[in-house]
Amino acid sequence: MKTFLGHNKPLLVSMVQGTNPARVKELMKNSVDLGAEAFGMQFCRMLPEYRTEEVYRDLFSAYNLPTYVTNYRYLRNDGKADDELGSELVELARCGATLCDVMGDYYDAQPAEYTENAVAAQKQKALIAELHNAGAEVLMSTHTHKYITAEEALKIAFIHRSRGADISKIVINAGNMEQQIESIRIIDLLKRELDVPFLFLCAGECRIQRRIGGALGNCMSLCVSEYDEVATTCQPLISEQLAIRNNL
């Protein structure tokens, strides 16, 4: 069974970003050869002509590995309403996506990417229930675009859990050593207090946490097989992350 839940070690997830399915498949093959255990596909990056059920089913069935999908507002989704983005996530789930990423501020866009609006919260719960009914697991994500404390991070994680998410994902910015040390405390707090799996990451200058986070409590590591023009460069190479996980 393809799943992101219940593993006894953090999954090595290769982010196979591409504007077309041929490039995504090339990255998938390279990733498997390097030891990837799951895929991450950001369909918000794919050209509109390839956003079809046929393409989705073909990609999801190419390997017997679980697939994590995003459908964020930015990149090629600019101008789409959140209702449309949510419907597209449901389509991805019905086509075989294993884990669907619901933005923490769907239906009420906020600078820190999470909402406490009651109406938006009910719509998020309904979307997550629909994704579950379609056979998918659900990750709720918040990219704060700023530094936050451990207590603030835990509050956001509890919000994710309360909406029905199976996994909580939080990404903050960390720009100095003090904040980087605090980010390790955040993982410890989430591990002790949160009763669902989580993925906590740092953007900005401090990225050591992306490499050791799996050993501290993260349920997965987001990696890349290579650095091309669309890869997220703060994500470590699969080869590096595999060595860190196996030897740390």
Side-chain angles (χ1 to χ4, degrees):
M1 176 183 174
K2 296 180 182 180
T3 182
F4 279 82
L5 304 175
H7 295 276
N8 60 7
K9 59 184 178 181
L11 283 178
L12 293 178
V13 182
S14 179
M15 302 304 291
V16 287
Q17 300 187 62
T19 60
N20 63 81
R23 176 55 177 161
V24 171
K25 279 191 171 183
E26 180 183 12
L27 290 170
M28 291 171 78
K29 181 184 183 306
N30 295 343
S31 299
V32 169
D33 291 343
L34 290 167
E37 298 162 338
F39 301 116
M41 298 182 186
Q42 296 197 245
F43 284 98
C44 29
R45 190 175 291 283
M46 193 169 283
L47 292 168
E49 58 263 35
Y50 300 116
R51 298 289 302 268
T52 67
E53 180 179 326
E54 180 181 9
V55 168
Y56 299 157
R57 292 188 183 278
D58 181 51
L59 290 175
F60 297 148
S61 64
Y63 293 89
N64 189 32
L65 294 177
T67 304
Y68 159 51
V69 300
T70 72
N71 198 31
Y72 296 148
R73 292 190 191 96
Y74 44 84
L75 299 175
R76 301 188 189 280
N77 279 335
D78 284 347
K80 289 184 179 179
D82 288 353
D83 287 314
E84 184 178 0
L85 298 179
S87 295
E88 290 174 347
L89 272 182
V90 173
E91 182 182 24
L92 288 164
R94 289 173 177 160
C95 289
T98 311
L99 179 68
C100 294
D101 188 324
V102 173
M103 294 179 71
D105 65 343
Y106 261 180
Y107 313 116
D108 181 37
Q110 297 293 325
E113 210 173 284
Y114 72 94
T115 179
E116 299 182 78
N117 177 276
V119 174
Q122 288 305 313
K123 294 186 72 173
Q124 289 179 355
K125 289 178 181 179
L127 172 60
I128 289 172
E130 191 172 2
L131 290 167
H132 282 152
N133 289 336
E137 298 160 355
V138 178
L139 174 151
M140 181 165 273
S141 66
T142 291
H143 300 73
T144 64
H145 308 290
K146 63 179 181 179
Y147 171 76
I148 62 173
T149 66
E151 289 70 28
E152 290 172 311
L154 184 62
K155 172 187 173 181
I156 293 170
F158 282 153
I159 288 174
H160 293 172
R161 184 192 62 181
S162 73
R163 307 278 159 84
D166 303 294
I167 298 173
S168 171
K169 175 185 175 184
I170 300 172
V171 184
I172 71 169
N173 283 11
N176 57 51
M177 184 55 67
E178 181 181 0
Q179 293 175 355
Q180 184 160 252
I181 292 171
E182 178 73 358
S183 77
I184 294 174
R185 190 171 81 87
I186 290 175
I187 291 186
D188 179 63
L189 185 63
L190 292 173
K191 187 175 182 179
R192 287 188 286 108
E193 300 292 337
L194 191 66
D195 57 359
V196 297
F198 63 88
L199 174 60
F200 177 78
L201 301 171
C202 290
E205 293 300 317
C206 300
R207 299 171 182 176
I208 188 65
Q209 187 273 339
R210 286 182 177 265
R211 287 155 174 78
I212 66 172
L216 301 176
N218 277 347
C219 67
M220 67 180 87
S221 297
L222 305 186
C223 317
V224 293
S225 61
E226 63 185 77
Y227 294 121
D228 60 12
E229 66 277 6
V230 298
T232 302
T233 55
C234 62
Q235 292 169 348
L237 293 170
I238 296 170
S239 56
E240 296 174 347
Q241 197 62 26
L242 183 62
I244 290 171
R245 189 189 70 179
N246 291 346
N247 290 284
L248 189 61

